[in-house]
Each structure stands twice: as structure tokens, then as C-alpha cells.
Amino acid sequence: MSKLWDKGNNENTDATQLINQFTVGRDRELDVWLAPYDVMGSVAHIRMLESIQLLEKEELIQLVEALQGIYESALVGDFVIEEGIEDVHSQVEMMLTQQLGEVGKKIHSGRSRNDQVLLDLKLYMRQEIQEVVQLTQSLFDRLIALSEQHKEALIPGYTHLQVAMPSSFGLWFGAYAEGLTDDLLLLQAAYRIANQNPLGSAAGYGSSFPLNRQMTTDLLGFERMNYNVVYAQMGRGKVEKTVAFALGAIGGTLAKMAMDVCLYMNQNFGFLTFPDHLTTGSSIMPHKKNPDVFELIRAKGNKLQALANEITMITANLPSGYHRDLQLIKENFMPAFADLKASLQIAEFMFQHVQIKQDILKACLPLLH
Ligand code: ARG
């Protein structure tokens, strides 16, 4: 296995292979998602290296062109981390070296994989958060429209799950819309914490090269940098946890909303329903309309709420500095975005087709006296 840190004295024994397999874990699969961001980070880094005369102009041009090719292959899904290559950082450097020779190695000057992976993750989460915000906005708009449309449709309000006071579908839809705005406030704070440049912190203790960290901060569109290089590295795990907390807040709102929908769809409530083709039936009980979509939105939302705690537990008691433990966070953290985005999208789709029963309150009137 070719490794950036290899001193060349490792025999390729069964034991080293076993160790590699265990330590690399799922990195070769998950790091592929980071490839476009790894390339973007490298382009900013080498432009900066050229500006401080650590790279010739000609070398910069060659490297940027080759990196552009890798970026495009990553965008169309052609980028793979080859068998025997440890991670995205090693793969990109290996491709450059194969294409351009020794100059390929220069992209690593003044950098460590520790600040590289942290940078990649921050660029990745910035993009993913933006997509989450857009989808949350669409669901918000749908809920507000439904709130307006059904403001006259009365339903009972419950306390202790006992019929309490007359309320309305307008209030119910609007409540979840307003809930999402609170969740977005948290996400905005998490975004700002993520949007700080760790590049240049190297292994977590800076570099002896006169790196221009402000330049890479500007090139990558970060709001500011993590000034203290030790803190930059300490941000690994902490920033994922902060973002996870905000994703969990949206997940919590969706889960509660989904639980209400399941309850309201129950035949004894019968407050709302969906067209048959959006629910699932049962071959043995043809009267059933199962709310599988909302059950899974509920489960995914609850699972998302566990994420911040999972990260807390992985990072519990780690002292400052890089630890390999941090790598494992990717397995839980990175797929969470797809889960949340899918839930937001399908919730919005389902609500386009929601059917509200009229005169619900009539049946409850005797109970309200
Ligand atoms: N795959 C590693 C991670 O995600 C990359 C950093 C490795 N650094 C190291 N010193 N082993 O954390």
C-alpha cells in the first residue's frame, strides 16, 4: 500500500495488510465524497504556495490543470480510490505524480492530512448545509401554504393526549413551519462555526513555511480562519457535533410532525389521509392504509437526534491534537445529510397531496362541553 507517511521500511506482510484494512476502514468509500473538496483545497493551497515562492509559476499551471481534470472526474462520479491507496489525499497526490512526476508531491508542502481532511469536511458540510437549508425552505413554504389554506379547518387541540380545546389545521401546519425557523437559526450558527479555515494548521501545530493563511481563507470563501492552529485541529469532531446538533433539531421537528401524521391518519382519528398510491396496504388486511413514509421520516428524524451524541461519545476524553478516532466520525456524520435531505424532500412531496377531513370537530363537540 502506498502511503504518504511511509518510511519505506514496512514489509508487505499479511500482518501489515490486516492492520491497513482495519485502520483504513471505510475511508476509501467515504473519502470519494470528499474528492471535489480535496481538489478545491489543493488548488487554493498551491496558488498560495506559488505566491510565497514555494512553487514555480509553470508548476502551478501544470498542477491546476491536472487538478481540474480530477475535479471534473469527481463531479461525474468517475473518481475512485484505488485498491491499496489509503485515502482521498493519497489518491489525488498519486494521480498527480503519475501524470506530472515529482512536482505532484509539492501539493503536500506545508500541509498534513490532518488539516486536509478537516478542510475537506468543512467544505463538504458547507455545501450540504446549503442544500439542507433550501429543502427546509421548500417544506416551510408548503407548510405555510397549507396553514393558510386550512385556517378554517378545525381540529381538537390535545393536552395529555386528551381532547382539550378547539384548534385548527392552520395552527397545526403553521406550528411546524415556525419550528423549522428555530432549527434554521441553530443551523446558521453551526454553519458559521464550520465556515472557518483550518488550512495551514498542518498536523495541528502549524508549519515552518511562511504560509499565507489569509489568502487561502479568501480563496476558499471562508468567513474567517481558525487562528490558533492547535484549536483548528481541536475543531475536528467539535464542528461535526455542532452541525449534527442542528441537523438533529430539524430531525426532531420532522419526527414529531411525522408522529402527529401517523396519529391523525389512524382510523379512530381520521383527521387526514393521503391518496392510496402514497400509502402502503396489506394483502391480508385490505382496509389498511399504512403511513410508512411518515414512519420512516420519524425513524430517520430520531436517528438524526442520536448523531450529536454518537460524536460526543467517539470524542469523549480525547486530549488535544489529532487522533485516529476522529476518522470514525465520518461514517456516522457524512451519510446523515442524505437521510435528512431525503426526509425533507419526501415530507414536502407528501404534503402536496394531503387530504384534510372536514367537520372533524363535530364528532368531538360532546367532549368539549
Ligand atoms: N483518514 C484520516 C482521518 O480521517 C486522515 C488523517 C490521517 N492522519 C493521520 N495522521 N493518520 O482522520
Side-chain angles (χ1 to χ4, degrees):
M1 177 176 279
S2 125
K3 298 184 208 74
L4 291 179
W5 46 269
D6 204 346
K7 304 284 180 290
N9 52 4
N10 254 353
E11 283 174 48
N12 197 15
T13 59
D14 286 353
T16 34
Q17 267 184 27
L18 194 68
I19 299 301
N20 284 339
Q21 216 173 33
F22 184 77
T23 53
V24 170
R26 288 181 58 197
D27 255 19
R28 288 179 52 231
E29 166 200 341
L30 291 168
D31 271 20
V32 168
W33 305 4
L34 297 177
Y37 307 103
D38 198 74
V39 171
M40 271 163 59
S42 288
V43 171
H45 185 66
I46 57 176
R47 282 181 62 182
M48 184 277 293
L49 288 180
E50 192 267 338
S51 79
I52 57 168
Q53 278 95 47
L54 284 180
L55 206 63
E56 302 293 329
K57 180 112 210 142
E58 194 45 45
E59 293 175 322
L60 175 67
I61 293 168
Q62 276 185 331
L63 285 167
V64 169
E65 202 182 300
L67 283 166
Q68 265 164 358
I70 299 176
Y71 184 80
E72 274 152 31
S73 79
L75 287 193
V76 297
D78 280 348
F79 182 90
V80 281
I81 299 176
E82 290 162 43
E83 188 75 39
I85 304 292
E86 214 176 334
D87 53 28
V88 62
H89 328 295
S90 318
Q91 176 69 31
V92 170
E93 192 176 317
M94 194 271 288
M95 288 165 86
L96 291 176
T97 318
Q98 265 180 0
Q99 212 178 317
L100 307 170
E102 280 302 292
V103 64
K105 294 203 173 137
K106 293 199 178 178
I107 66 160
H108 205 64
S109 316
R111 254 192 327 178
S112 154
R113 283 182 303 152
N114 295 356
D115 67 342
Q116 250 184 293
V117 62
L118 188 50
L119 175 68
D120 296 1
L121 280 167
K122 283 183 160 198
L123 296 173
Y124 171 78
M125 60 185 100
R126 246 178 25 180
Q127 172 63 30
E128 291 292 330
I129 290 172
Q130 285 172 36
E131 288 173 27
V132 167
V133 170
Q134 269 165 17
L135 293 170
T136 306
Q137 166 90 51
S138 305
L139 178 58
F140 172 88
D141 292 342
R142 171 72 49 199
L143 290 169
I144 289 291
L146 286 166
S147 171
E148 190 56 33
Q149 187 185 342
H150 299 294
K151 63 181 175 206
E152 312 284 343
L154 299 181
I155 51 171
Y158 295 86
T159 67
H160 308 267
L161 211 53
Q162 301 286 307
V163 171
M165 301 260 291
S167 184
S168 72
F169 261 120
L171 274 171
W172 183 78
F173 283 117
Y176 285 107
E178 188 171 331
L180 290 175
T181 65
D182 267 0
D183 303 339
L184 284 188
L185 278 178
L186 265 183
L187 190 58
Q188 187 181 39
Y191 183 88
R192 292 195 64 196
I193 290 170
N195 197 18
Q196 303 180 70
N197 184 17
L199 187 60
S201 60
Y205 303 97
S207 160
S208 51
F209 292 135
L211 304 178
N212 182 347
R213 298 195 58 209
Q214 189 58 51
M215 181 173 171
T216 55
T217 300
D218 295 340
L219 283 173
L220 292 166
F222 281 109
E223 189 180 331
R224 42 175 262 160
M225 70 177 89
N226 290 125
Y227 290 94
N228 183 309
V229 289
V230 177
Y231 181 65
Q233 185 54 58
M234 270 195 245
R236 180 99 187 261
K238 184 176 175 180
V239 65
E240 293 98 312
K241 182 164 64 178
T242 310
V243 171
F245 197 74
L247 301 184
I250 302 176
T253 302
L254 293 183
K256 190 182 279 288
M257 184 178 76
M259 178 65 235
D260 277 356
V261 170
C262 291
L263 200 64
Y264 292 173
M265 259 184 87
N266 165 287
Q267 296 94 329
N268 298 120
F269 281 77
F271 291 179
L272 55 75
T273 191
F274 295 90
D276 285 352
H277 65 284
L278 300 186
T279 63
T280 60
S282 160
S283 48
I284 196 171
M285 298 168 284
H287 59 283
K288 287 187 74 184
K289 269 176 96 163
N290 296 329
D292 295 40
V293 168
F294 286 95
E295 291 169 285
L296 288 169
I297 292 174
R298 180 173 61 198
K300 280 175 191 283
N302 286 336
K303 189 175 155 198
L304 273 163
Q305 291 180 88
L307 182 61
N309 196 43
E310 285 165 359
I311 300 172
T312 303
M313 297 315 286
I314 294 171
T315 54
N317 303 328
L318 290 182
S320 56
Y322 175 81
H323 308 278
R324 194 66 180 262
D325 310 49
L326 299 167
Q327 170 177 302
L328 219 60
I329 296 171
K330 286 191 279 195
E331 290 179 21
N332 300 50
F333 181 68
M334 294 174 67
F337 288 100
D339 268 350
L340 179 56
K341 289 191 294 185
S343 292
L344 287 164
Q345 236 162 353
I346 199 97
E348 202 271 324
F349 173 78
M350 292 298 284
F351 279 136
Q352 281 175 35
H353 303 282
V354 66
Q355 297 164 350
I356 300 303
K357 297 263 173 65
Q358 299 302 321
D359 299 325
I360 293 168
L361 216 54
K362 270 193 189 141
C364 298
L365 277 180
L367 299 169
L368 286 165
H369 286 297

